[in-house]
Structures are given as C-alpha cells and as structure tokens.
Amino acid sequence: MTLTDSPTSRARTTYGAVLGSPHVARLLGGTLIGRLPNGMAPVAIVLLVTADGGTLAFGGLLSALYGLASALSQPVKGRLMDRHGQTMVSGPAAILNSAALLALPATATTSSPALATVVVVLGGLSAPPLEAGLRALWPSVLPDPVRRHTALALDTGTQGLLYITGPLLVAALTTAHSPSLALVVTAALGLAGTALVLTAPPSRTWQPSTRGRSETPARLLSSQLVALFVALVGVGVAIGGMNVWAVAMAERHHTDLLAGLLPAAFSTGSFLGGLLYGHRTWPGAPARQLIVGASGFLLGWLPLLALPGPHPATVLIAVPGAFLTLVVARAFTTTDVLAPPARTTEAYTWLLLSIGVGQAAGTALAGRLADHPHALAALPAAGATLALTVLLLARPGRYQRQGAAASTAK
C-alpha cells in the first residue's frame, strides 16, 4: 500500500474478522504481553529502590535510565532484525532483559548503586523490539489492505493500555507482597509474551525484503523520513509534558488520583480513537490523513490553556489521545513507503525512538516549568505545533510522489 493508493471508498471490516484471521490474535496478544515490562519495569524499579531505603530521586534516575536505554538501542536491534530475522534478535534480548530484571532485587540498590545502575541499563538495552517486529509482520499476515488498516489501528490504539495495566499490576503485586515479586512477574510476562510471538509461524519464517539489496546498504534516512521523525519528536514532547502536567494538576487540586487518572484518560482516548479509526477506511491519501491527525492532535490540547478543573480536564484530555492513534498509525504507513525494503524494521525503530526522545525532552522541559501553570499547560500544545508545522513544511505532495516511486521498487 502506498501513500497514493489510500482507499477512498468506505469499505468496512469487523474487528472479529481481523482477530479471526490466522495468527493475528496470537501476534497481537503476545506482543502486548511481551511489552508489559515497558509499563511495569519503570514503576517497579522506583518502588524497589524506595523499599530498600533509597531516595525517590535515585529510583527515578534508574527508571529513566531503563527507558532511555531501551529507546536508544531500538535502531540497533531493528537493524539486526532486518539482517538476521526476529527469532535471532528478540529471543536472546528477552532472555537478557528478564535476567536483568530478576537480578536487580539481589543487587542491593542502596549499598551498590553502581551495580544497580549497570543492571538497569543492561535490562533497558536488551528490551526486545516486539512493537517494531509486529509492524513488520502485518503485510505478510494480512495481505488485504483493509484488514491491515484495521489491525494497525487496533495495534496502535491498544498500546496505551500497557501504561494503564502495567503500573496498576505492579502496585497490586507490591501491595500484596513486595516490589521484588513485581519484578519477577514483569520478567515472566516479558518472556512469555516474546515466546508467544516468536513461536508463531509468521515470526519464525519472516525475512525482510531482499529486493533492491546490494553490497552497500540502501540509505535509510531520506529527507522525508527525517522530517517525519522530527515531527514525531514533537508528538513525544506533548506526551511527556502531559505526564508532568498531570502530576502538577494533582498537586494543585490536592487529589493524588489525578496523577494517574489524567494519563489513563488520555490512553483511553487513544484506545477508543483506534477502535473508531480502524473500523473503516477513510477518504484521502495517508499523507493527508497524517496532516488531519496532527491538526486534531494540536486542537485537542488547546482547551488546557484555560487551566480547566479536574473533571473537565479528565474529559478533555481524551481528545488529543483519540487523534494520537491516527498520527502514529499513518506515521508507520508513511515509514513503510519511504524506507528501503530491506531496512523497514530499522526504520520503525527510529520512529519509536523519535517519540521516545521527544517524550524524555518533554518531561525534562515540563519539570522546569512546573512552577508556571500556564507555561506547563501550553507545553503539550507547543509539541503538537512542532509536529504539525514540520509535516506541513514537508509538503504531503512530495510524500505521495516519492511513495509512488518507492512502491514500484517494492
């Protein structure tokens, strides 16, 4: 599917039909289970450190290092996956990741902070690239573009649920027993989900396209892909700023629940938006849909500038979340068209890295703006403005022309 052949019909497919297609439910479910550590490990690490008598600052630092190491290593793992297949990369990565998480409680985080840091960084570096791997499998699992459109929207929309379910599960396990048990369960879920994916026939037999391969690897980062990735940095800034804004809202209104409720409402909006978006195909080329999604994402943040109270804020925050799924889903479509066939998975990991870097930057900027309520509330809109501006300057027409040429090669 190219950027110029987006369906303009109103063809529909059901989620039952997509999930009933061979291997789809297993791949999607396995990927979600295998990626639960992304939502669980950062919280469990903080709770482990504080339970050991360490400071919240050190726990937060280790948690941030885990996420940063995971994000920065994604392109390397994507490149290896494109060369050696999914099993040879995600299998060993899942084993190392789980081993690091299991070893962390034994490192005595307060008395051996250096060792704990090494273990956490190793765990982040070895997080298996399941999300990029799943996106690479969809074309072979679902050749029908309408069903693939629905699966991609469902896949993208459900990602936010990881960051609702994961922290809640860690909190429940820690309350019932200890942070150490939470890390054991985190490691077990990561291994189980990865095994479920890697033992599925599509993953076992998947190989990247070899058409167009030469002794010199094709250039990955074209100007169009760079523009797309820069735009996604803006999307990440908005998300990172939103997370800190939620904490500030909780402090301002003396309601601790808001710190989790507002991000949960945002993720719920993303899930519902994915369900609506994937239920049918929509008119217009994917590049135009990307612009529309980025515009809605920006407009959805503007009501926050009025500093709404807790109840309206909880409702309003779901709006940009609903448009997030459209932006991310169409970003993957665009990446698939513009990336060289033999480096598609690597390109997907750069996409994910861009959002992750933006999220880290947004969190850091929001921390500095925490004492300025209006500036903090404006940060998500500023990130969304960056995303939309870059996409507009990149000229969708050029996406379409380059997409047509790329489709011939593919």
Side-chain angles (χ1 to χ4, degrees), residues 23-24 117 177 179:
H23 312 298
V24 169
T117 301
H177 193 273

Side-chain angles (χ1 to χ4, degrees), residues 115-212:
L115 178 59
T117 301
V118 171
V119 172
V120 165
V121 171
L122 176 62
L125 291 174
S126 57
L130 295 176
E131 184 175 3
L134 179 62
R135 304 287 161 76
L137 290 175
W138 286 138
S140 59
V141 174
L142 293 169
D144 175 32
V146 175
R147 291 194 175 188
R148 190 162 64 246
H149 161 86
T150 300
L152 181 58
L154 183 62
D155 171 13
T156 303
T158 54
Q159 301 307 312
L161 298 180
L162 298 173
Y163 300 96
I164 301 173
T165 306
L168 288 176
L169 183 56
V170 168
L173 291 168
T174 300
T175 301
H177 193 273
S178 67
S180 297
L181 177 62
L183 283 168
V184 170
V185 173
T186 300
L189 287 171
L191 276 177
T194 303
L196 197 60
V197 171
L198 296 184
T199 54
S203 178
R204 291 203 317 267
T205 60
W206 178 85
Q207 290 294 332
S209 173
T210 56
R211 283 177 288 173

Side-chain angles (χ1 to χ4, degrees), residues 19 60 64 122 129 137 148 179 189 192 242 248 251 259 315 332 347 356 361 363 402:
L19 292 173
L122 176 62
L137 290 175
R148 190 162 64 246
L189 287 171
M242 180 270 298
E251 293 178 350
V315 175
F332 273 103
T363 301
Q402 188 169 347

